[in-house]
Amino acid sequence: METGDLRGAASAAQVHPALLFDPHEDWRRAFDPCIQCGLCGGACPLAHAMDYTPRRAIHLAREGLLDRVLQSNTLWLCVSCYTCTARCPTGLKITDVLFPALRDAAINAGLQLPGEFKRALDNTYRYGNSLGEGPRKRLEWTKGAGVPVPVISQVRRRVEVLWLVECYPSYHLRNQVQAQAMARLLHAMGVDFAILGPEEHCVGDCERLAGERGLFESLVEYNTSLLDKYEYDVLVTGDPHAYNALTRIYPTITGRTYPIRHYVEFFARRLDALKPLLTHRIDARVTYHDNCCLGRMCGLYDAPRALLRAIPGVSLVEMAFSRENALCCGGGGGGMWLDGVIWQAAGERLSDRRIGHALATGADILAVSCPFETSRFEDSLKSTGHEGRMVVRDILELLDRSMQGGTPA
Amino acid sequence: MSATSRDVWIYVEHLRGTVAAHTYELLGKGREIAAGLGGRVVAVVLGEGARPLVATLGAADSVLCVDAPAFNPAVPEAGVAVLRALAEARAPRLVAFGATSVGMDLATLLSARLGLPLVVNCKDVRLEDGRVVAISQMCGGKLLAEVEIGGAAILTVLAGAFPVQPGMSDRTPPVEAIPLPTPLEGMSSKMRRLLEPEPGDVDITKAEVLVGVGRGIQRKENLALAEELAGLLGGTVCASRPVIDQGWLPLNRQVGKSGMVVRPKLYVALGISGAPEHVEGMKDSDLIIAINTDAKAPIFDVADYGAEADLLEVVPALVEELKAGCASAA
Amino acid sequence: MNIAVLLNMVPDLVEDLEIDASGTALDTQWMRYVLSESDEHALEQALLLKGRLGARVTVLALESGDAEEALFSSLAKGADEAVKITGVSPGHSKRALAATFKEALKNMPSDLILTGVYAIDDLDGHVAGLLAGMMGLPFVGVTRSVEPADGHVVVQKELPGGAAVEIEVGLPAVLGVLSAPQPPRYVPVAKIRETRKSRALVERVTAPVQPDGVTIRRLFKPEPAERATMLEGSPEEVARQIAALLRQRGLVR
């Protein structure tokens, strides 16, 4: 079984100016239309802790004072929540262009990078995942699934679903159970699926947002040729960042689109087949957190809610700031690797603030659909002193419980 | 070089007037090996001000002491020049050093200068039909190599490999005081000064003993317990992220993914659940002892020893035990 | 000033290590190698000296796929020349590796030779000290800083517990670096890829070296401990057991 190797990969990919900063062009020109209205800084959940708000960073960059921004904490506080991009009246790509470009400039200027940030990038380059785990360990989680999990290089035929498990669900203790739940659901629905196994590498969305342009390009090259090797009807993933990159970014580089679905869409479209399997009640008030990639970026608000409503006994309540207005958990775009820096600057984690919104609904369960979020929100319950008041579950875990029985908590 | 004797030499490492604990481990083991070889165990103590240390080396059959002004064997050139001269004259069968920053340099340079084989990071040394067999620990403890040594050799030994007791004795050993065999002036390495760590400048990555506190410590006031334990163990207090977040300890004490990676000899985990982000920062510690009220806490998957107990009860009891132990030793 | 940095590739512990059929060596089928951590620091130390003195930095490594990556990465970070040494495979012996480096360094006059200490696969010593002994050069290992001065360097060698000893070393000399004053710099992937395209490695063929040194009679893995040994009893009893453990290991008197 191949494990794949990023190093020595072919030369640079074509760059579409709209969604990626072009290292050969002056990316600052893309911000010429900025009218300095300040909506970005006003909307940014961490602007209060930044030395320069996004608006001021754009202003300084345009005035040739980029150095000042690079020396500031601004570029390390962005968690890619896309709120600024969603609000900008001029349609500027602040999240996709400004912050990655600033970080790229910092990296190339040889500035000292935060330790965990560097480690995450080194790990991705060496092992194809930011956690620094070995490629062969990608299959560990399958042992506890209770159903067969075929690996496509061994199956050697066209499959209906090529499932991109991605890194946290494969390796992180808290997320492996979610991958196992998804395997059981797919199996119970009779879906013909397979996974990539040890060959799988990160799709690279967070590395892109972290400003490591060369690393993202090599991941794009690697993943495009990997996906070309196999035949499948659809690609399904549980990782909103992988979904985001394959939906919006990869096509601008490769000129090709991918039949990519997040599991919320995939299961929602097959609710007829799924609903009969949800035989056990989960009598609970459930509130759903809209993550940034599925939500603000890609507009998937109804599918996850449809899935939750399909579970007998679930009563769905909305928390404040939902859908387009949801507050980010703070993990995206390198946020998972900048925790210490953000904490030091802001004195809080966004997930702590968000858990407050969830608790205010009086719900028993906070449902999520992004692997970063389970641990982040569970941590927040503890650190805000509310452990035991509610539990955090991925929608996959709730569907699985409804299918199998047993307590959700 | 004269024909190899059957003597086992133990390099006595010392700092600020105290002999390192591992030296006694080596003396104890050295006695055993020397007896098996039919030779003697000789303690070799070098450096300015070394003479008074001889009194603690009673487990050795004899002591070679080179105490000369401005002589610091931590300067590898100087230490090896002296060791080489002594070894060439007396041909020991084995020369054992502790696997420390001092011992490793001396052992390696000496091995090259004398042309003798060297085995580092030994976890065990024993005799098999008159041949010395050493087990060396490699790859962060994931691999062990069994090596046989026919003739004379040099070893460095991991601290904690052997018990300390057999190396301690009240005897006064016979001492041979030897003048510097080569003058220090001609050497290309010159000792300038000893640098003490800045007080209050805590670098947990350098600590040999760490007492880690997690959420289970419950209140800031309980940190004093951890501090007291750390003090008795000659270590430092560190913490998992939640404790640092509370502001109970400064950021330079954080262990884990967003903090520091530490590899101390001993890591005592108090009330730490063992989330992957924390474990990442301390899993390579030599000995991990964990106390947590939750038997299912993942920390027990990475610890060597554990107890499902309340740290607020165990730690005070442990502090008393350690104090009583010190009292009876004194 | 001419500085040579010697790079050691060591087993990457991310994947489990397997022992081959002979029982005396590692099964290299799935193994990857990674640059020894302290060698990264040695390179960083060399680059810092280059930045201050305009020294010329040459890195050397034994040929292998993983080593090439390390060599190109070093060039991308700012090394002036990268040499891959071909024609030898010293096996597990650092003594043989040191002898190989000594051969490769012939006709390459260096004021300072830097390499890391405490490679995870050291069995018969570390390259730094062995090389110094073979070349008859002054040596200090476990350094945490190297300050240049007139015709010599002043190094700080770490001692247990955070103390250090400051030593003046005449040049030429070999230094075993533990850590550089600042963390090894990050080099962007784009720069490494560009370097691979634009720079070439210098090849140096070296005569095979006699692999003297220790023979491994048996290579084995320790008993895997799945879980902690749990201590039972009242808090006092647990405390007694812990104290006994610590005394037995010499961690407390």
Side-chain angles (χ1 to χ4, degrees):
Chain A
M1 210 179 296
E2 305 163 45
T3 57
D5 192 336
L6 275 181
R7 302 163 309 170
S11 53
Q14 294 271 70
V15 172
H16 187 285
L19 283 175
L20 283 158
F21 70 93
D22 188 332
H24 308 297
E25 301 278 320
D26 186 355
W27 58 267
R28 296 174 300 168
R29 295 277 73 84
F31 293 90
D32 281 344
C34 171
I35 58 172
Q36 289 284 293
C37 67
L39 270 169
C40 52
C44 173
L46 285 167
H48 64 95
M50 291 181 176
D51 293 331
Y52 302 111
T53 61
R55 171 189 74 79
R56 293 181 68 196
I58 293 170
H59 175 64
L60 287 167
R62 291 198 303 196
E63 293 300 308
L65 294 168
L66 189 63
D67 277 348
R68 276 205 222 167
V69 186
L70 296 185
Q71 299 289 343
S72 75
N73 71 6
T74 296
L75 54 163
W76 306 115
L77 261 51
C78 174
V79 293
S80 307
C81 75
Y82 288 105
T83 311
C84 54
T85 307
R87 299 279 178 269
C88 176
T90 325
L92 297 172
K93 303 293 177 215
I94 304 171
T95 319
D96 287 317
V97 179
L98 176 69
F99 279 90
L102 289 174
R103 288 166 172 179
D104 174 79
I107 290 171
N108 280 298
L111 294 179
Q112 278 293 344
L113 305 177
E116 45 172 339
F117 186 80
K118 246 200 298 198
R119 275 197 293 276
L121 296 175
D122 278 335
N123 286 339
T124 309
Y125 185 53
R126 260 199 79 76
Y127 306 111
N129 67 86
S130 65
L131 299 128
E133 297 281 6
R136 290 197 293 158
K137 292 198 183 125
R138 276 210 189 244
L139 291 176
E140 279 302 305
W141 71 266
T142 63
K143 295 178 187 163
V147 297
V149 182
V151 176
I152 194 157
S153 60
Q154 294 178 326
V155 153
R156 293 213 210 109
R157 57 167 174 80
R158 186 184 185 86
V159 293
E160 191 194 338
V161 168
L162 180 53
W163 171 20
L164 304 178
V165 184
E166 279 303 273
C167 312
Y168 269 69
S170 301
Y171 294 121
H172 195 283
L173 236 72
R174 182 60 184 92
N175 301 117
Q176 284 176 329
V177 296
Q178 293 157 0
Q180 290 164 350
M182 182 149 159
R184 288 190 286 268
L185 288 163
L186 290 169
H187 182 82
M189 289 168 66
V191 175
D192 171 36
F193 74 94
I195 65 172
L196 285 168
E199 293 184 281
E200 186 171 349
H201 275 24
C202 186
V203 168
D205 201 44
C206 294
E207 286 77 2
R208 167 183 72 94
L209 292 161
E212 236 292 8
R213 187 183 46 80
L215 180 56
F216 180 61
E217 278 170 14
S218 49
L219 285 167
V220 171
E221 282 157 24
Y222 178 83
N223 283 313
T224 26
S225 52
L226 181 65
L227 292 175
D228 273 348
K229 273 171 36 173
Y230 302 115
E231 293 191 318
Y232 48 86
D233 295 341
V234 289
L235 289 168
V236 176
T237 186
D239 186 330
H241 273 286
Y243 177 73
N244 183 34
L246 284 165
T247 305
R248 294 174 50 242
I249 313 292
Y250 272 54
T252 67
I253 302 177
T254 64
R256 298 164 46 180
T257 55
Y258 292 90
I260 175 77
R261 313 257 179 280
H262 185 272
Y263 80 69
V264 298
E265 296 175 278
F266 181 78
F267 286 133
R269 284 190 207 192
R270 297 185 182 208
L271 218 37
D272 299 341
L274 177 57
K275 188 138 171 67
L277 300 173
L278 306 177
T279 52
H280 296 87
R281 293 180 67 85
I282 298 181
D283 287 296
R285 284 160 66 86
V286 177
T287 188
Y288 173 71
H289 166 74
D290 289 287
N291 60 71
C292 308
C293 287
L294 289 190
R296 248 185 310 277
M297 257 301 101
C298 300
L300 285 178
Y301 302 114
D302 297 320
R305 287 167 170 85
L307 291 175
L308 289 167
R309 276 194 213 99
I311 301 174
V314 163
S315 140
L316 204 55
V317 293
E318 292 291 340
M319 59 176 118
F321 301 102
S322 65
R323 305 174 80 102
E324 304 76 18
N325 300 315
L327 175 65
C328 180
C329 76
M336 292 297 268
W337 319 323
L338 291 165
D339 188 79
V341 174
I342 297 174
W343 169 256
Q344 285 296 292
E348 64 157 354
R349 291 192 174 81
L350 291 180
S351 45
D352 293 349
R353 231 198 278 172
R354 188 56 169 161
I355 205 72
H357 302 165
L359 286 163
T361 64
D364 310 293
I365 301 176
L366 168 58
V368 297
S369 58
C370 170
F372 288 162
E373 288 169 353
T374 348
S375 306
R376 288 189 76 81
F377 286 129
E378 281 175 348
D379 259 3
S380 289
L381 280 170
K382 290 184 197 160
S383 50
T384 55
H386 291 119
E387 192 171 10
R389 275 188 57 188
M390 81 188 323
V391 295
V392 184
R393 294 287 177 267
D394 192 286
I395 296 179
L396 292 167
E397 293 178 279
L398 295 172
L399 292 172
D400 184 49
R401 272 292 160 235
S402 180
M403 183 171 76
Q404 305 220 85
T407 51
Chain B
M1 201 155 124
S2 33
T4 312
S5 72
R6 299 187 203 181
D7 291 344
V8 174
W9 285 17
I10 305 297
Y11 178 79
V12 176
E13 195 170 323
H14 58 95
L15 187 62
R16 299 188 209 90
T18 313
V19 172
H22 73 253
T23 298
Y24 297 109
E25 294 179 30
L26 292 180
L27 281 173
K29 193 54 158 171
R31 285 199 70 76
E32 191 193 300
I33 304 271
L37 289 171
R40 298 168 311 144
V41 62
V42 178
V44 180
V45 60
L46 312 179
E48 180 174 16
R51 191 67 175 79
L53 300 168
V54 163
T56 63
L57 304 172
D61 292 316
S62 70
V63 178
L64 288 176
C65 177
V66 181
D67 182 340
F71 172 36
N72 189 333
V75 178
E77 289 291 339
V80 169
V82 172
L83 286 167
R84 180 184 187 174
L86 293 173
E88 279 178 339
R90 296 153 192 260
R93 173 68 191 279
L94 285 180
V95 184
F97 297 81
T100 64
S101 61
V102 170
M104 292 290 269
D105 272 0
L106 292 174
T108 310
L109 192 59
L110 186 65
S111 152
R113 294 258 159 89
L114 286 176
L116 287 182
L118 165 64
V119 183
V120 299
N121 299 330
C122 296
K123 243 181 93 88
D124 192 18
V125 184
R126 57 175 195 267
L127 280 177
E128 259 181 33
D129 304 320
R131 299 172 81 76
V132 174
V133 175
I135 311 278
S136 167
Q137 183 172 283
M138 298 168 69
C139 294
K142 297 195 176 175
L143 219 51
L144 296 168
E146 193 178 272
V147 174
E148 196 180 287
I149 303 159
I154 302 173
L155 307 171
T156 73
V157 180
L158 296 171
F162 306 121
V164 176
Q165 280 309 111
M168 313 206 68
S169 162
D170 291 333
R171 271 179 69 230
T172 315
V175 180
E176 211 184 314
I178 303 174
L180 261 188
T182 32
L184 294 170
E185 288 73 43
M187 295 186 193
S188 37
S189 300
K190 229 186 310 271
M191 160 91 177
R192 271 210 187 172
R193 55 189 177 136
L194 185 65
L195 297 165
E196 296 291 351
E198 299 288 311
D201 191 28
V202 176
D203 184 351
I204 57 173
T205 64
K206 304 281 187 246
E208 304 207 308
V209 173
L210 283 173
V211 175
V213 296
R215 259 188 262 264
I217 200 85
Q218 286 172 39
R219 293 201 315 279
K220 185 176 186 178
E221 293 71 49
N222 295 329
L223 273 180
L225 269 176
E227 299 276 1
E228 196 178 3
L229 178 61
L232 285 168
L233 296 172
T236 313
V237 175
C238 63
S240 63
R241 206 202 70 206
V243 170
I244 306 288
D245 285 354
Q246 300 277 49
W248 296 347
L249 281 171
L251 193 60
N252 66 357
R253 307 288 189 111
Q254 186 172 328
V255 170
K257 180 163 180 280
S258 22
M260 278 164 276
V261 175
V262 295
R263 295 185 187 113
K265 294 200 168 73
L266 170 66
Y267 190 95
V268 182
L270 302 175
I272 292 178
S273 65
E277 287 75 16
H278 180 76
V279 167
E280 194 182 308
M282 42 67 72
K283 63 176 162 53
D284 290 331
S285 309
D286 288 346
L287 177 64
I288 302 170
I289 303 178
I291 317 247
N292 196 302
T293 50
D294 178 9
K296 296 214 220 76
I299 190 77
F300 292 123
D301 291 327
V302 77
D304 298 295
Y305 294 92
E308 184 193 344
D310 188 348
L311 70 97
L312 297 174
E313 292 179 352
V314 174
V315 177
L318 182 55
V319 163
E320 286 313 306
E321 265 295 321
L322 294 175
K323 282 189 187 160
C326 285
S328 63
Chain C
M1 183 188 249
N2 288 312
I3 306 178
V5 181
L6 310 179
L7 305 182
N8 251 270
M9 304 306 290
V10 298
D12 190 342
L13 299 182
V14 156
E15 302 281 18
D16 289 332
L17 296 174
E18 300 299 334
I19 299 171
D20 75 7
S22 77
T24 62
L26 285 172
D27 180 354
T28 53
Q29 195 204 1
W30 286 111
M31 258 177 76
R32 289 176 66 172
Y33 292 86
V34 66
L35 182 59
S36 180
E37 200 183 319
S38 52
D39 286 351
E40 284 191 72
H41 284 268
L43 175 62
E44 181 62 29
Q45 179 69 81
L47 293 171
L48 288 171
L49 289 170
K50 176 181 162 142
R52 286 171 60 177
L53 307 170
R56 191 183 149 76
V57 176
T58 306
V59 289
L60 297 95
L62 255 56
E63 176 183 37
S64 78
D66 292 301
E68 284 207 9
E69 176 66 24
L71 289 169
F72 279 114
S73 168
S74 304
L75 286 173
K77 286 187 181 182
D80 298 287
E81 189 177 86
V83 176
K84 86 177 158 178
I85 302 168
T86 59
V88 281
S89 64
H92 64 262
S93 167
K94 297 296 171 161
R95 196 176 219 92
L97 181 58
T100 309
F101 278 128
K102 179 181 171 210
E103 280 299 301
L105 287 167
K106 266 191 188 148
N107 310 318
M108 218 181 93
S110 309
D111 299 292
L112 211 48
I113 300 170
L114 300 182
T115 188
V117 285
Y118 301 162
I120 56 170
D121 60 346
D122 278 342
L123 176 64
D124 59 352
H126 51 71
V127 169
L130 293 170
L131 182 70
M134 290 173 186
M135 291 178 77
L137 289 177
F139 163 71
V140 178
V142 204
T143 67
R144 68 180 190 199
S145 76
V146 180
E147 285 295 310
D150 248 323
H152 63 271
V153 288
V154 178
V155 308
Q156 286 185 8
K157 179 196 154 92
E158 271 204 13
L159 296 177
V165 60
E166 202 173 70
I167 303 173
E168 226 173 79
V169 188
L171 300 178
V174 177
L175 298 178
V177 174
L178 176 68
S179 58
Q182 70 184 40
R185 61 197 64 185
Y186 183 78
V187 57
V189 171
K191 193 125 194 264
I192 302 181
R193 278 149 60 104
E194 189 209 302
T195 305
R196 271 181 177 269
K197 282 188 288 184
S198 59
R199 303 285 303 272
L201 302 176
V202 172
E203 222 173 278
R204 193 156 298 180
V205 186
T206 310
V209 143
Q210 284 307 349
D212 68 335
V214 298
T215 318
I216 298 177
R217 199 164 81 170
R218 179 170 79 106
L219 202 60
F220 59 105
K221 300 210 268 192
E223 293 304 312
E226 288 301 321
R227 214 173 132 72
T229 304
M230 297 303 277
L231 307 171
E232 308 285 342
S234 68
E236 289 74 25
E237 281 161 3
V238 168
R240 256 197 296 280
Q241 292 171 76
I242 295 177
L245 256 175
L246 298 177
R247 284 194 190 104
Q248 190 193 80
R249 303 228 181 178
L251 288 159
V252 84
R253 301 282 170 108

